[in-house]
Amino acid sequence: MTEPEGPQPNRSPADAPKDYETVRNIGTVAMVAGVAISFGILIFDERSPSWPWLVGLWIMALIGVGLRIEAGIRERRRS
C-alpha cells in the first residue's frame, strides 16, 4: 500500500517536524565544539599554536552562531 499523496486532514501544523530545533542543536554543537577545542589548543599546546586549525575552529564557532540565529528566525516565523 502507498501513502495518500494529498494533504492529510487530521494532521495539524503542530505535528509537523520542527526543523528549527535541529538547526539550533547543530549550531550549538558547532559553536561549543569550536570554542572548546580552540581554547584547548591554546591552553595545552606547549609550542606555538597551529593558527590554521585555530582559525578553522573559530570559523566553525561563527557558523554555529549563524545557525542559532537562523533557528531563532525560523521559530519566530512559525509562531
Side-chain angles (χ1 to χ4, degrees), residues 21-38:
E21 290 179 354
T22 304
V23 173
R24 183 187 314 135
N25 291 335
I26 292 171
T28 301
V29 168
M31 184 176 57
V32 169
V35 170
I37 294 171
S38 66

Side-chain angles (χ1 to χ4, degrees), residues 3-68:
E3 294 290 324
E5 294 181 14
Q8 297 175 352
N10 295 334
R11 189 169 185 185
S12 69
D15 295 338
K18 297 180 180 176
D19 58 342
Y20 62 87
E21 290 179 354
T22 304
V23 173
R24 183 187 314 135
N25 291 335
I26 292 171
T28 301
V29 168
M31 184 176 57
V32 169
V35 170
I37 294 171
S38 66
F39 280 141
I41 288 173
L42 286 172
I43 291 171
F44 296 114
D45 196 5
E46 296 169 358
R47 298 171 284 146
S48 63
S50 176
W51 289 106
W53 280 101
L54 287 175
V55 170
L57 290 168
W58 293 337
I59 289 172
M60 185 173 84
L62 287 175
I63 289 171
V65 170
L67 287 173
R68 296 226 3 130

